[in-house]
Amino acid sequence: MAVFGLGRKDKDGADAEAPRGLQFDPLQAARLLPWLVALLLVLGVWCLVAGGLRLRDESRQHSLEFARDDAVVSVRRVLNEQRQRFGTQLASRTLAAALATGDREAAGAALKQGWSDVARAEVWPADLEALYAGLPRAGFGTVAVIEEALSSGKTSSRIVQSRGQHRLALAAPVKGATPMVAYVELPLIRLESGVESPALPGGTYLALRQGQRSVIERGELALGNAAEAMAARVPDSDLRIAAAAPDMAATPFALDGIPALALGVILLVGAGVLWLRVRPRLLALGGAAEVEAGPTLADLQQELPAAEAAPKVKVREHDRPERAARVPVVIDHRIFRAYDIRGVIGHSLDAGVAELIGQAIGSVMAEQGLDTIVVGRDGRLSGPDLAQGLIRGLRKAGRNVIDIGMVPTPVVYFGTYHLRTGCGVAITGSHNPPDYNGFKIVVGGQTLAGEAIKGLHARIAEDRLLQADVEGTLDERDISEDYVQRIAGDIQIGQPIKVVVDAGNGAAGILGPRVLEAIGADVTPLFCDVDGTFPNHHPDPGDPHNLEALVQMVQRLDADLGIAFDGDGDRLGVVSKSGKTIFPDRLLMLFAADVLERNPGAVIVYDVKCTGRLATHVLRHGGSPLMWKTGHSLIKAKMREVDAALAGEMSGHFFFAERWFGFDDGIYAAARLLEILDVRGEAPEAVFEALPDGVSTAEIKVELPDDGDPHEFVERLRLTAGFEGARITTLDGVRVDWPDGWGLVRASNTTPVLVMRFDAETTSGMARIQQAFRDKLLQLEPNLRLPF
């Protein structure tokens, strides 16, 4: 039936022939009009309600912005007042006299004289040897603010943690008998007042922040994660005022509050005009006084189609294998190591063991209410069989598996975020020989380590494995392009840096060059075809011998630098144009300086094998260095504990929490390195040469005679060794620090060897330190073969 058209009625009410177009039926139009009116009413009411809520939210946000700006002004005023008072104290004659005689105690008293607010006042020699020797008790924040004052030559300020409290620290270089630095700490009462005094709208958040930490917080703490979007910097300081309000109410067409209200009024007026004016005229034209009553709003709601459920990820469920009686499998408990599972194929590890491990992991997931897990493998020949066994075990426990195939380990970690599973297993032998393989495991966003790894063995040994009534599903996905685009969408370089990439025939051979090309680099691949026998060289960039071919290719092609990945792509090695290996602890200096430019005061975690110059470098760039145990899972756990922005290990693992997900990723680290070199605008060789350096060794691996236990040997060394004039750290192994260098002996958690490293300012210092260690080690084991 034609409804709208160019038609008319004659004087008798009969339809007159329209010259063209469709016929107009007033009665049909009148019947449809209630639907249109109801729609306009719904839209109008929605606009009015949403507009009112939006107007309220806009007003709250404006009030919050005023409170934030007031806090910025108040904090700046307090800082300026305290700096001026500090300057007055520094100019006092009493202080000058004490400095001239070198009396530090009298100088500290002069700083504090007449300044009742001061909680601590001290004067230190500018060489800071005593402060560094007292770390960590001396306080990283204290050292950082003093380093900044010495570097800038003027007064610096920073909020530090001192004696369990936050305090405002001020430092400035002063002249005396020798160069010195004056330092005071003040309570935060006046800064707190500056943040607390502005009126804060209900349901909002306000905080004084330094780096990544909130020093003073007000309001709804749950909004803290979103507060940086409204943050305002306090001028002439590293402080900022962060603020957040709840999300604004959604409005039609994303209108602001007043336009939404206006649209609502227009729609309601339009509905009234249609019903009160247009409808009677249509009825009159149609010759009827009334038409069938239109639907009510309740009728409309009943007739609307039901909302569809959110689409689920489509998975392919394979035919379920028949359940058979479990074949007893003897599992070597030694494969359950400190931060992963690793064994020798055919001896301590096979598909049957993998199945039990998968079922144990699935049981842990079930206890935590987790149902889906990502599985990937590196390029080792044993990978497919282990993957099948692991997946069978996971599905037995009722877990749904997403198999992403052969990928570098970081892509498995990426998959746990990208596919929102929070769980993943990378089947990899990392940099071990070809007959090794193993599992790196993430459950609920946590990398399993230590007791959690041992717990899997105990669960298997005690037969506490879940056998689900319904077997889990299996889906195969390729997320390689998602990984490439995620990195390339964040990092792009402007100059075509010429790079040679050596993957050692490992799993990074495909994606490593793809990622670097995607960000704009000129890439030449070397040994990038994946081959689990590693025919060209062992895929361990920590051994300089494995980098010889890369050095030759870089020099032959006149490339800017060479990049090497290990067998599963979570470690990075770098060689310069001149063929020099850039050790990972020096790369970490470069990464730390870059991250600290955007995150002043951030914590930078490094392992016990890194150079002592790293901590000084981090402090000079305004960061907080923290030494920790070696091991990717241990480092990641410590990063979460201290909210670190970056971490690194001497083995070449780098963990970026800034702009990335906090897991170790050699490919992403390579992209960040090229980004830094691009921004610097200098030749990469010059950038590397500018990094602090000395005399250092690569990792030295030593086997114990008669298959001795490295852990037992290191424990004996810890209990018996004494090194004159040095500070001993037993955080992980035995590290001995002298003023001019250090040495380390620890037991590897991945292979049965001792790992050693030495670092010194001079060649003579290196020889002395190595001889001291040689004497102690041979006292414990005379048959130990030491390469130094």
Side-chain angles (χ1 to χ4, degrees):
M1 176 186 295
V3 179
F4 293 101
L6 297 175
R8 63 187 185 280
K9 287 186 177 293
D10 59 20
K11 62 181 180 180
D12 297 324
D15 288 333
E17 184 179 352
R20 64 184 180 273
L22 299 174
Q23 296 293 322
F24 174 65
D25 187 341
L27 288 177
Q28 184 67 12
R31 293 189 184 97
L32 292 176
L33 192 63
W35 292 88
L36 179 58
V37 170
L39 178 61
L40 294 178
L41 287 173
V42 170
L43 290 175
V45 171
W46 178 25
C47 288
L48 287 176
V49 173
L53 294 175
R54 181 79 172 211
L55 205 59
R56 176 206 63 187
D57 294 344
E58 289 172 354
S59 175
R60 177 169 56 190
Q61 182 157 319
H62 290 322
S63 298
L64 177 61
E65 290 172 351
F66 284 128
R68 176 202 63 193
D69 294 343
D70 286 347
V72 168
V73 171
S74 297
V75 170
R76 185 185 186 187
R77 182 177 62 250
V78 171
L79 287 176
N80 288 338
E81 289 173 353
Q82 300 290 26
R83 287 171 182 150
Q84 290 173 4
R85 181 59 190 270
F86 188 40
T88 301
Q89 297 295 110
L90 293 177
S92 73
R93 294 181 179 179
T94 306
L95 176 62
L99 291 173
T101 61
D103 188 342
R104 289 173 46 203
E105 185 175 346
L111 271 178
K112 195 173 182 179
Q113 185 176 5
W115 196 0
S116 59
D117 289 345
V118 173
R120 177 185 176 188
E122 295 174 352
V123 176
W124 297 87
D127 59 19
L128 304 187
E129 288 185 4
L131 272 177
Y132 276 110
L135 289 175
R137 290 184 60 188
F140 290 115
T142 296
V143 177
V145 71
I146 291 175
E147 286 279 16
E148 183 182 347
L150 291 173
S151 176
S152 64
K154 58 184 181 181
T155 300
S156 65
S157 61
R158 182 185 178 95
I159 294 175
V160 301
Q161 186 81 9
S162 179
R163 294 175 173 83
Q165 298 179 347
H166 282 111
R167 291 178 177 174
L168 174 63
L170 300 173
V174 292
K175 295 180 180 180
T178 59
M180 307 189 85
V181 59
Y183 176 83
V184 298
E185 289 179 4
L186 304 159
L188 291 189
I189 296 175
R190 299 186 64 189
L191 283 180
E192 288 174 352
S193 176
V195 178
E196 296 284 351
S197 58
L200 193 64
T204 60
Y205 170 86
L206 193 72
L208 174 65
R209 288 185 174 177
Q210 178 177 261
Q212 295 181 314
R213 296 188 177 276
S214 296
V215 181
I216 304 168
E217 293 182 293
R218 295 179 59 193
E220 297 293 330
L221 301 186
L223 297 174
N225 290 336
E228 286 301 317
M230 290 182 62
R233 184 172 174 271
V234 178
D236 304 319
S237 77
D238 290 333
L239 302 177
R240 63 191 185 282
I241 302 295
D247 293 338
M248 289 194 181
T251 58
F253 315 113
L255 295 172
D256 289 336
I258 292 177
L261 289 172
L263 179 59
V265 171
I266 292 171
L267 291 172
L268 292 179
V269 170
V273 170
L274 288 175
W275 187 258
L276 299 175
R277 302 292 300 272
V278 176
R279 180 173 174 271
R281 293 187 179 184
L282 290 174
L283 292 175
L285 286 173
E290 289 292 342
V291 296
E292 182 181 352
T296 64
L297 180 59
D299 296 331
L300 289 175
Q301 292 173 335
Q302 291 176 359
E303 294 180 17
L304 286 175
E308 296 182 0
K312 296 183 178 179
V313 176
K314 184 178 180 181
V315 297
R316 185 181 69 252
E317 185 168 1
H318 290 263
D319 293 335
R320 192 174 305 153
E322 294 183 3
R323 293 184 179 176
R326 180 180 298 162
V327 178
V329 179
V330 178
I331 296 185
D332 186 347
H333 69 90
R334 290 173 297 182
I335 70 174
F336 295 83
R337 305 196 177 207
Y339 35 83
D340 56 23
I341 299 173
R342 198 168 300 178
V344 179
I345 297 299
H347 293 277
S348 55
L349 192 58
D350 58 21
V353 174
E355 182 174 338
L356 292 174
I357 291 172
Q359 198 169 356
I361 295 170
S363 303
V364 173
M365 289 175 58
E367 290 178 356
Q368 297 184 24
L370 304 167
D371 60 7
T372 306
I373 185 168
V374 174
V375 172
R377 56 183 172 83
D378 67 13
R380 291 169 186 265
L381 302 183
S382 58
D385 286 342
L386 290 186
Q388 289 180 12
L390 179 79
I391 291 171
R392 279 198 304 271
L394 289 165
R395 295 181 68 196
K396 275 187 178 181
R399 302 308 97 189
N400 302 322
V401 179
I402 303 175
D403 183 2
I404 61 175
M406 187 182 71
V407 293
T409 292
V411 179
V412 176
Y413 297 151
F414 171 77
T416 66
Y417 291 91
H418 181 67
L419 300 175
R420 301 182 183 277
T421 66
C423 302
V425 178
I427 302 169
T428 175
S430 188
H431 59 281
N432 289 97
D435 55 344
Y436 275 75
N437 215 327
F439 308 91
K440 295 179 179 178
I441 306 161
V442 179
V443 175
Q446 306 287 324
T447 302
L448 299 193
E451 293 302 318
I453 292 285
K454 294 178 182 178
L456 294 178
H457 176 260
R459 187 179 289 272
I460 296 170
E462 298 166 11
D463 197 21
R464 293 185 288 109
L465 301 176
L466 173 63
Q467 183 77 38
D469 295 332
V470 178
E471 196 170 67
T473 60
L474 174 63
D475 181 27
E476 294 177 359
R477 296 279 294 272
D478 182 356
I479 62 171
S480 299
E481 186 60 25
D482 298 313
Y483 174 78
V484 174
Q485 292 305 318
R486 173 62 176 80
I487 297 176
D490 179 53
I491 300 174
Q492 286 292 311
I493 61 177
Q495 54 181 325
I497 300 175
K498 194 172 184 179
V499 182
V500 179
V501 174
D502 180 359
N505 301 111
I510 298 173
L511 279 182
R514 276 180 61 188
V515 167
L516 299 187
E517 287 174 347
I519 71 170
D522 180 0
V523 178
T524 299
L526 175 67
F527 309 142
C528 285
D529 51 321
V530 180
D531 186 337
T533 64
F534 310 124
N536 294 289
H537 64 73
H538 193 57
D540 181 3
D543 185 345
H545 295 296
N546 298 325
L547 302 175
E548 292 174 354
L550 177 60
V551 169
Q552 293 173 7
M553 185 62 73
V554 168
Q555 294 178 338
R556 184 181 307 159
L557 298 178
D558 194 30
D560 294 304
L561 73 159
I563 286 174
F565 300 118
D566 70 335
D568 66 333
D570 59 3
R571 294 169 57 203
L572 171 67
V574 176
V575 299
S576 69
K577 192 169 191 172
S578 63
K580 184 177 180 181
T581 300
I582 311 302
F583 286 136
D585 50 0
R586 297 184 72 217
L587 290 176
L588 188 56
M589 294 180 187
L590 203 58
F591 292 142
D594 175 65
V595 169
L596 290 169
E597 285 184 6
R598 296 178 295 277
N599 303 273
V603 177
I604 311 296
V605 180
Y606 60 98
D607 78 326
V608 294
K609 294 185 289 185
C610 289
T611 175
R613 287 178 289 275
L614 175 60
T616 304
H617 189 77
V618 171
L619 286 166
R620 288 189 181 277
H621 284 81
S624 301
L626 176 64
M627 182 189 294
W628 192 239
K629 303 174 183 179
T630 295
H632 68 95
S633 57
L634 305 179
I635 291 286
K636 280 181 275 195
K638 195 63 177 178
M639 285 184 72
R640 287 190 298 271
E641 178 186 335
V642 301
D643 194 25
L646 172 70
E649 295 183 276
M650 185 59 198
S651 58
H653 290 269
F654 296 100
F655 312 76
F656 287 87
E658 189 227 30
R659 295 165 51 193
W660 198 234
F661 301 99
F663 55 75
D664 40 336
D665 188 339
I667 299 173
Y668 179 76
R672 288 288 288 260
L673 173 61
L674 297 188
E675 180 186 48
I676 292 170
L677 296 176
D678 178 58
V679 171
R680 290 288 185 92
E682 306 172 58
E685 187 87 8
V687 175
F688 296 143
E689 287 297 328
L691 295 172
D693 200 6
V695 181
S696 60
T697 68
E699 292 185 9
I700 301 171
K701 297 180 180 179
V702 177
E703 295 184 358
L704 284 168
D706 303 321
D707 296 325
D709 183 356
H711 293 275
E712 185 271 338
F713 180 88
V714 171
E715 181 62 16
R716 284 195 290 138
L717 177 64
R718 185 185 70 83
L719 294 174
T720 61
F723 293 86
E724 185 177 353
R727 184 176 73 254
I728 299 177
T729 302
T730 57
L731 180 69
D732 182 6
V734 177
R735 174 168 169 151
V736 185
D737 283 81
W738 285 271
D740 62 340
W742 58 274
L744 168 75
V745 177
R746 61 178 295 276
S748 171
N749 286 313
T750 57
T751 51
V753 298
L754 295 172
V755 178
M756 306 180 190
R757 189 172 186 237
F758 302 96
D759 185 281
E761 297 294 335
T762 62
T763 303
S764 60
M766 171 69 74
R768 189 193 79 252
I769 291 170
Q770 286 187 328
Q771 186 60 47
F773 268 86
R774 184 179 181 84
D775 294 342
K776 298 295 183 183
L777 294 173
L778 292 180
Q779 286 178 11
L780 292 176
E781 181 51 70
N783 296 325
L784 199 63
R785 300 181 63 180
L786 299 172
F788 56 87

